[in-house]
Amino acid sequence: MDKIQFQQRLLGLQEHMMSFAIKLTANRDDALDLIQDTTLKVLDNQEKFVDNVNFAGWVMTVMRNIFINNYHKIVRVQTMVDQNADLYNLNIINDSISGSPDKVYQMQEITKAIAELNDDIKIPFTLFLNGYKYHEIAQKLNIPLGTIKSRIFFARKELQNKLKDFQYS
């Protein structure tokens, strides 16, 4: 297979590559990056393709391996969190609780419950409360997006259990 045929076959797989990349990354932007990385890697390694091998399978294997390698790189990177940052600040407007001792007490209880969470779930959860989007938290903490979503979910569940007898007015 010559270079032109190879490139045409690769271009013909773009839709299939996008479907697979979205399944792997669960994010359109990350999927596009993965497709770009895969395309470059496949083009750089064209000479390694054996003509009697399933071309689509070979390309998808390259994509999967790139995804796994990138994931392992992210996992190896240590998460650095500024210990001086006020992660418990909920950015709540004082007017909403002024004049009501009950509301002040409720906010103190909620803040206390959040402060008691395990750091693994507390940090992403408080960043989310402060207005960060899931992908921004994942980027900031160098943790996969799915892990961020899970940790925020578990923080919510734990807070629901801790505050289940709590009366909201």
Side-chain angles (χ1 to χ4, degrees):
M1 169 181 347
D2 68 9
K3 286 187 180 216
I4 303 280
Q5 289 175 318
F6 187 87
Q7 291 170 0
Q8 287 174 341
R9 284 180 76 180
L10 185 58
L11 285 174
L13 285 177
Q14 293 299 305
E15 189 174 320
H16 187 60
M17 289 171 68
M18 183 61 160
S19 296
F20 188 53
I22 292 224
K23 285 179 187 174
L24 290 172
T25 63
N27 177 299
R28 183 170 169 72
D29 292 335
D30 291 341
L32 290 170
D33 289 343
L34 182 58
I35 290 171
Q36 184 178 22
D37 292 345
T38 303
T39 302
L40 290 172
K41 184 93 163 183
V42 166
L43 290 172
D44 285 345
N45 292 287
Q46 179 177 348
E47 71 282 351
K48 293 180 183 175
F49 176 70
V50 180
D51 207 11
N52 63 354
V53 173
N54 176 357
F55 184 72
W58 182 70
V59 172
M60 297 309 146
T61 300
V62 170
M63 180 181 286
R64 188 192 74 227
N65 290 343
I66 290 171
F67 174 77
I68 291 169
N69 290 339
N70 288 344
Y71 175 79
H72 287 169
K73 273 186 219 168
I74 291 169
V75 169
R76 280 192 304 266
V77 173
Q78 296 254 338
T79 302
M80 298 297 289
V81 177
D82 182 3
Q83 297 301 321
N84 297 322
D86 182 9
L87 297 174
Y88 313 114
N89 179 6
L90 299 179
N91 285 338
I92 295 174
I93 300 171
N94 287 336
D95 293 344
S96 67
I97 60 171
S98 64
S100 172
D102 288 342
K103 287 185 180 179
V104 171
Y105 176 75
Q106 289 172 352
M107 288 309 304
Q108 288 173 342
E109 288 299 309
I110 293 169
T111 303
K112 179 182 171 197
I114 292 170
E116 292 172 352
L117 293 172
N118 178 331
D119 280 348
D120 286 345
I121 61 175
K122 175 175 49 184
I123 293 168
F125 183 74
T126 53
L127 289 170
F128 181 75
L129 286 177
N130 282 309
Y132 287 91
K133 305 255 186 276
Y134 289 124
H135 71 278
E136 293 171 329
I137 298 168
Q139 217 171 21
K140 185 176 184 80
L141 299 178
N142 287 324
I143 297 175
L145 181 66
T147 303
I148 293 299
K149 290 179 179 181
S150 295
R151 289 180 181 180
I152 291 171
F153 171 81
F154 289 126
R156 285 179 176 149
K157 284 294 179 194
E158 192 170 324
L159 288 170
Q160 283 175 344
N161 287 335
K162 283 183 177 185
L163 301 170
K164 66 183 171 201
D165 297 326
F166 202 77
Q167 293 292 322
Y168 296 98
S169 53

